[in-house]
Amino acid sequence: QVQVVESGGGLVQAGGSLRLSCSTSGLTFADRAMGWFRQAPGNEREGLACITYSAIIRFYDKSLKGRFTISRDNANKTLYLQMNSLKPEDTAMYYCAAHSASLCDDWKRPTQYQYWGQGTQVTVSS
């Protein structure tokens, strides 16, 4: 049984930082690209970042402008998202997803991901 569980969300003031974690089990974590998405009420789910199976290549949405960093620990089957300089517009539910392949093919398209977590809420106050 595959499990994908996000944690680390919460309430933070603008300018602050959060580190999201995504623990997985039951899947071949080290063979898969992994991604982070977010979805605010009334908006579509948007891709934020993707990291290839070996962590050699990382992709980011251009709008993040270097504020977020994706990383992974294959030994512990865990994905991370370090978020700095947070803004109120970063408020959303954040999701971790396991790609169906080892590289970040068409990484911003949610249908490319096979497994999803339930999400963790991030709220940034002004």
Side-chain angles (χ1 to χ4, degrees), residues 25-111:
S25 62
L27 58 82
T28 52
F29 182 84
D31 293 340
R32 293 177 181 265
M34 296 292 296
W36 284 101
F37 286 73
R38 70 184 178 190
Q39 187 169 19
N43 292 353
E44 293 186 352
R45 191 166 295 192
E46 61 173 329
L48 300 175
C50 184
I51 185 168
T52 58
Y53 74 105
S54 62
I56 291 177
I57 303 175
R58 309 174 197 211
F59 298 87
Y60 296 96
D61 184 85
K62 294 179 181 179
S63 68
L64 298 178
K65 296 183 180 179
R67 297 186 297 121
F68 292 8
T69 302
I70 189 171
S71 61
R72 66 189 297 160
D73 179 348
N74 283 351
N76 290 304
K77 299 184 177 181
T78 302
L79 180 72
Y80 301 99
L81 185 68
Q82 177 67 42
M83 306 188 295
N84 298 327
S85 302
L86 284 163
K87 306 174 182 179
E89 51 264 43
D90 293 318
T91 296
M93 187 71 78
Y94 283 69
Y95 298 92
C96 165
H99 201 286
S100 58
S102 58
L103 302 178
C104 295
D105 303 328
D106 202 8
W107 69 273
K108 301 197 77 174
R109 190 183 298 273
T111 54

